[in-house]
Amino acid sequence: MLRLGLYIVRQMIPWMGASLFGAAVVFLASQLLRIAPVFAGAHAGASELAAALGLLVIPVIGWALTPAFAISVFAVAGGMSARGEITGLDSAGIGRARLIAGPCLLGILVTAASAWIWLEAAPRSQRVLREIAIDIAGQALVRGVEPGRFVEPAPGLVMFVDAVDGGTFRGVMLEDARRDGKAIQIVAREATARFQQGDRTLELELHDGHAFVENGLGVPPAALGFEALKVSVPVLDELGERLGFLPWVMSVTTGRLLGDPPKGVSISRWSYALWRRIGGPVGFMAMALVTMFLAFRGQWRRRGMAVGVAAAIFLGYHVAGRLGENLLDAGIIDAPAAALAPAGTVLLFISIVYATGLRYERNRFKGV
């Protein structure tokens, strides 16, 4: 039986590899359209873009393991059935349950890998990727200043320059209306700007200019001259909008999710972030059991038909996940139910299939 199990597993591995590669390419191609503007705006190089895509691959693999395993199981079972191998094993008295010994062992190993990716590797990769993306997006804020054009690096901050000489701006006009609606206009002969990644601020250093401060209540604005003036602008909110494709909660460690949510984050969404990571490997295990049972239980005339069934099952699994998240947002179900909805759906499906088949066998036996 060991030899038979290894024979099946050896056939599954190439199918899993091809499925993982295909899922990664499709997902990364779609994500490239979203991250390319951020990287292009900061004139990032090909190496930085490649590093970002490489970091994106890690959570993609965690997600793609589920359909890849399902497709590999059905592809191998369909091929064996089409070649008559399963019929031959039935004739030799080898039960169908023995055929899944090898896939079960492989499924256990992949479940462990899936748990590690979902709980540890993916959050780490997303944290590194977010740091890279924030730095690049911050550099894009600086490089987005063009001569002869009004730009708004951050809400309430408007900047105009006459010329750009390397990293220095000439003939600068800056209006800061972020505080209580009172605008501060600053004109300077030159200025430099740089993004401070540590505290997520845009640092402006202006030289040889004047600042005009509004006092309100009809009082004329005060004019202050300066030789050097530093302006620090927090831009985390602005960067958050640019990095909408990288939700920050995905970069939070799993241990942190066990604690209280930060300010501004609902308890349900914070809990869902944790349970979604638990639901990843649990969902894989459920899908693996369902696909092994269905794939080696029946007879398949063509491998393509078997692969199509695997794709249909995963589609239902994916839709159940989206539906669970929508029901969570509507307050109908809680976070554990939403995160485990895909696993529960496929297990309910296989229970119905098994009960229907068992009832059919009993009726046929009574008819005999």
Side-chain angles (χ1 to χ4, degrees):
M1 290 302 103
L2 177 61
R3 184 173 299 177
L4 177 60
L6 291 176
Y7 170 73
I8 295 175
V9 169
R10 281 198 300 268
Q11 294 184 75
M12 288 179 60
I13 290 176
W15 278 96
M16 283 194 65
S19 301
L20 283 173
F21 177 78
V25 169
V26 171
F27 182 85
L28 292 178
S30 64
Q31 292 301 303
L32 183 60
L33 298 176
R34 304 175 67 181
I35 68 175
V38 174
F39 283 70
H43 305 286
S47 60
E48 293 174 302
L49 182 59
L53 292 177
L55 291 167
L56 272 176
V57 166
I58 296 176
V60 169
I61 290 177
W63 168 82
L65 281 173
T66 302
F69 189 89
I71 290 174
S72 67
V73 168
F74 272 93
V76 172
M80 292 179 66
S81 181
R83 293 190 299 269
E85 293 176 341
I86 291 183
T87 301
L89 291 171
D90 289 341
S91 301
I94 299 176
R96 297 292 181 91
R98 296 185 180 182
L99 299 180
I100 65 173
C104 276
L105 179 59
L106 179 61
I108 292 172
L109 296 176
V110 178
T111 298
S114 176
W116 176 73
I117 292 174
W118 277 94
L119 299 175
E120 182 67 22
R124 284 179 177 271
S125 70
Q126 292 298 285
R127 185 163 60 252
V128 175
L129 176 58
R130 188 170 177 82
E131 291 296 325
I132 294 174
I134 285 177
D135 183 51
I136 290 176
Q139 297 299 331
L141 291 178
V142 177
R143 295 172 181 173
V145 178
E146 299 179 1
R149 187 171 67 90
F150 286 93
V151 295
E152 190 176 11
L157 189 73
V158 178
M159 189 173 182
F160 179 90
V161 301
D162 287 329
V164 178
D165 181 13
T168 303
F169 304 132
R170 310 289 185 187
V172 180
M173 192 283 290
L174 181 69
E175 181 178 80
D176 187 352
R178 294 171 297 148
R179 299 177 181 86
D180 302 326
K182 296 181 179 179
I184 301 175
Q185 288 88 25
I186 302 173
V187 293
R189 179 175 55 84
E190 64 178 30
T192 57
R194 60 181 178 272
F195 173 68
Q196 300 290 345
Q197 184 180 12
D199 52 6
R200 310 290 197 267
T201 59
L202 183 64
E203 300 289 342
L204 297 171
E205 186 170 347
L206 302 103
H207 300 277
D208 190 14
H210 292 80
F212 303 92
V213 183
E214 291 184 357
N215 294 312
L217 300 177
V219 180
L224 304 173
F226 60 85
E227 292 184 0
L229 176 66
K230 289 186 178 181
V231 178
S232 179
V233 183
V235 292
L236 183 57
D237 291 340
E238 174 71 10
L239 296 180
E241 293 181 3
R242 294 181 176 222
L243 302 178
F245 62 93
L246 285 175
W248 70 272
V249 73
M250 293 180 62
S251 63
V252 177
T253 63
T254 302
R256 173 68 182 88
L257 291 175
L258 294 172
D260 295 330
K263 184 178 180 181
V265 179
S266 67
I267 296 177
S268 62
R269 294 303 302 184
W270 188 252
S271 178
Y272 177 73
L274 172 64
W275 279 99
R276 186 169 182 265
R277 295 182 187 182
I278 297 173
V282 171
F284 171 83
M285 183 171 58
M287 276 286 290
L289 292 173
V290 169
T291 53
M292 284 187 293
F293 176 82
L294 292 178
F296 288 101
R297 182 173 181 265
Q299 292 284 355
W300 306 96
R301 295 182 180 180
R302 295 186 300 273
R303 173 179 281 168
M305 182 184 298
V307 172
V309 171
I313 294 175
F314 176 73
L315 178 61
Y317 175 91
H318 181 69
V319 170
R322 292 296 185 184
L323 179 61
E325 189 171 359
N326 290 336
L327 293 176
L328 171 70
D329 292 335
I332 299 176
I333 60 177
D334 59 8
L340 299 177
T345 299
V346 294
L347 290 176
L348 177 62
F349 170 75
I350 195 61
S351 299
I352 294 173
V353 171
Y354 179 77
T356 302
L358 184 62
R359 189 179 302 110
Y360 171 77
E361 292 293 334
R362 288 176 177 174
N363 292 337
R364 188 177 68 172
F365 178 78
K366 289 180 180 180
V368 175

